[in-house]
């Protein structure tokens, strides 16, 4: 029995549209909330980040958890009222503020220790990035993403035809927007920040997604040469069915180590792995249900039900 992906294409398109619109709405809300579509990390905006844990957390005898209100009051007294505060795991504090020199860092640490409780110096992590470096890093990453899209479009135009390339790029935009949208939501509800690794993950997603799409398109082209009289919908359905097991197996074997990294890896790689999980799943989905069905619709639109040439 043929896997009729083209028959339910309106459903797949509607589902993708809902996900994409939801992500765009989250980015718009984020823009009005924090003046950015995604919550940027220190990598992009510059400044100083201090993360430390209460010493009592080791002995599990803390009288009460940390609260952002108490920390905010201390930062206000130190002239750092515009800082971003996060409480992680009840007893770990993460403060992102303007660039501080060593004297200002020492003063802030002393104030926190005196007014909240002793923090464990062994757990203290400090990072400082200049605003110019942050802007340059963001611009370089964005340029790399744009160049990758352009290069893929040129390559597909030469290997296939322009309509193949166009719908492959549409599928890539879909995957990137889904991933960015999810992180916009996470930034709003959980304070998740995006850093330079997030841009790396987007580039990786683009490469993975286009690979799946090329496999399906290549099979579509082969089937058109073998059975030129079949309706284009049937040709595409056959191509998807013939490559379905490969697409699923490739995606699953790629996702398994990423899930392991997300669950058991360090904090630095956790959200990098999550972005890849979301993007790779979206890439497999878009290759099967978006790129292929769009091509079938375009080639068979109107009264045309047969493909004349590939």
């Amino acid at each position: 029995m043929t896997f009729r992906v083209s028959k339910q294409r309106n459903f797949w398109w509607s589902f993708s549209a809902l996900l994409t619109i939801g992500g765009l709405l989250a980015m718009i809300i984020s823009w009005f909330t924090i003046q950015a579509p995604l919550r940027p990390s220190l990598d992009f905006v510059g400044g100083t980040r201090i993360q430390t844990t209460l010493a009592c957390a080791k002995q599990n005898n803390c009288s009460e958890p940390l609260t952002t209100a108490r920390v905010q009051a201390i930062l206000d007294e130190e002239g750092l009222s515009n800082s971003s505060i996060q409480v992680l795991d009840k007893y770990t504090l993460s403060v992102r503020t303007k660039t501080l020199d060593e004297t200002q860092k020492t003063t802030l640490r002393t104030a926190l220790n005196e007014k909240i409780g002793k923090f464990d110096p062994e757990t203290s992590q400090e990072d400082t990035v200049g605003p110019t470096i942050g802007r340059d890093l963001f611009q370089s990453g964005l340029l790399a993403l744009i160049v990758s899209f352009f290069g893929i479009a040129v390559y597909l135009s030469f290997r296939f035809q322009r309509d193949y390339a166009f719908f492959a790029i549409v599928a890539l935009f879909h995957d990137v927007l889904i991933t960015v949208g999810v992180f916009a939501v996470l930034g709003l509800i959980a304070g998740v920040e995006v850093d330079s690794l997030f841009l790396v993950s987007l580039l990786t997603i683009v490469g993975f997604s286009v690979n799946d799409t090329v496999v399906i398109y290549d099979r579509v082209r082969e089937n058109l040469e073998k059975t030129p009289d079949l309706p284009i919908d049937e040709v595409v359905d056959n191509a998807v069915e013939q490559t379905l097991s490969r697409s699923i197996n490739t995606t699953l074997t790629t996702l398994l180590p990423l899930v392991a990294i997300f669950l058991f890896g360090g904090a630095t790689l956790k959200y990098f792995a999550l972005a890849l999980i979301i993007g790779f799943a979206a890439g497999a989905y878009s290759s099967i249900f978006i790129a292929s069905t769009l091509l079938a619709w375009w080639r068979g639109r109107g009264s045309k039900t047969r493909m004349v040439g590939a």
Side-chain angles (χ1 to χ4, degrees):
M1 182 177 178
T2 304
F3 181 49
R4 301 287 182 182
V5 65
S6 298
K7 190 174 182 180
Q8 292 86 25
R9 61 190 175 202
N10 288 334
F11 171 78
W12 308 124
W13 295 350
S14 299
F15 179 66
S16 290
L18 285 174
L19 291 179
T20 304
I21 292 170
L24 291 173
L25 287 175
M27 285 186 272
I28 292 171
I29 295 171
S30 179
W31 181 270
F32 285 105
T33 304
I34 60 174
Q35 287 72 55
L38 299 172
R39 188 177 293 275
S41 74
L42 201 68
D43 289 359
F44 296 140
V45 296
T48 296
R49 180 181 60 191
I50 298 175
Q51 182 170 310
T52 185
T53 304
L54 285 170
C56 61
K58 268 189 176 181
Q59 290 78 33
N60 199 24
N61 61 354
C62 296
S63 58
E64 58 182 359
L66 292 167
T67 63
T68 56
R70 291 178 64 192
V71 178
Q72 186 64 61
I74 297 170
L75 293 176
D76 291 343
E77 293 175 4
E78 299 296 324
L80 303 172
S81 55
N82 292 327
S83 302
S84 173
I85 304 168
Q86 282 183 272
V87 175
L88 313 172
D89 302 326
K90 294 184 180 180
Y91 306 115
T92 299
L93 174 66
S94 178
V95 176
R96 192 182 70 193
T97 185
K98 65 181 183 180
T99 304
L100 305 177
D101 57 30
E102 287 303 320
T103 302
Q104 291 170 316
K105 291 179 188 177
T106 302
T107 302
L108 178 57
R109 285 194 298 266
T110 301
L112 291 172
N113 278 284
E114 291 177 351
K115 298 177 182 179
I116 292 181
K118 184 171 178 55
F119 286 87
D120 186 357
E122 293 182 0
T123 64
S124 181
Q125 300 177 19
E126 298 177 0
D127 303 294
T128 299
V129 176
T132 302
I133 295 176
R135 285 194 300 270
D136 290 346
L137 189 62
F138 174 76
Q139 292 170 358
S140 298
L142 195 60
L143 179 62
L145 193 61
I146 293 171
V147 169
S148 69
F149 271 98
F150 177 76
I152 289 170
V154 171
Y155 167 74
L156 291 177
S157 296
F158 277 104
R159 177 164 181 178
F160 299 101
Q161 290 188 10
R162 281 176 293 182
D163 53 353
Y164 284 83
F166 176 78
F167 292 123
I169 293 298
V170 170
L172 292 183
F173 270 110
H174 166 275
D175 304 336
V176 171
L177 284 175
I178 293 296
T179 307
V180 171
V182 170
F183 271 77
V185 173
L186 292 175
L188 289 172
I189 65 177
V192 174
E193 299 177 343
V194 296
D195 54 15
S196 55
L197 282 177
F198 182 72
L199 288 176
V200 175
S201 71
L202 293 183
L203 289 167
T204 309
I205 289 165
V206 167
F208 178 87
S209 178
V210 77
N211 179 64
D212 258 0
T213 303
V214 165
V215 169
I216 294 175
Y217 279 178
D218 204 40
R219 188 57 59 89
V220 169
R221 186 171 59 179
E222 289 177 5
N223 289 349
L224 283 171
E225 293 174 354
K226 294 176 182 177
T227 55
D229 294 329
L230 280 180
I232 184 61
D233 282 359
E234 191 171 340
V235 171
V236 170
D237 288 342
N238 290 337
V240 170
E241 185 180 37
Q242 291 161 7
T243 58
L244 187 62
S245 59
R246 176 206 176 278
S247 297
I248 293 175
N249 291 335
T250 302
T251 303
L252 286 178
T253 53
T254 307
L255 289 180
L256 286 174
L258 290 174
V259 171
I261 293 172
F262 175 73
L263 294 176
F264 308 112
T268 305
L269 295 177
K270 182 176 182 179
Y271 290 111
F272 172 70
L274 179 61
L276 291 180
I277 291 170
I278 297 168
F280 285 4
Y285 167 83
S286 68
S287 297
I288 297 170
F289 298 106
I290 304 299
S292 61
T293 56
L294 284 172
L295 180 66
W297 165 78
W298 178 256
R299 291 285 178 110
R301 66 193 186 283
S303 59
K304 296 180 181 178
T305 57
R306 295 179 182 274
M307 170 61 66
V308 178

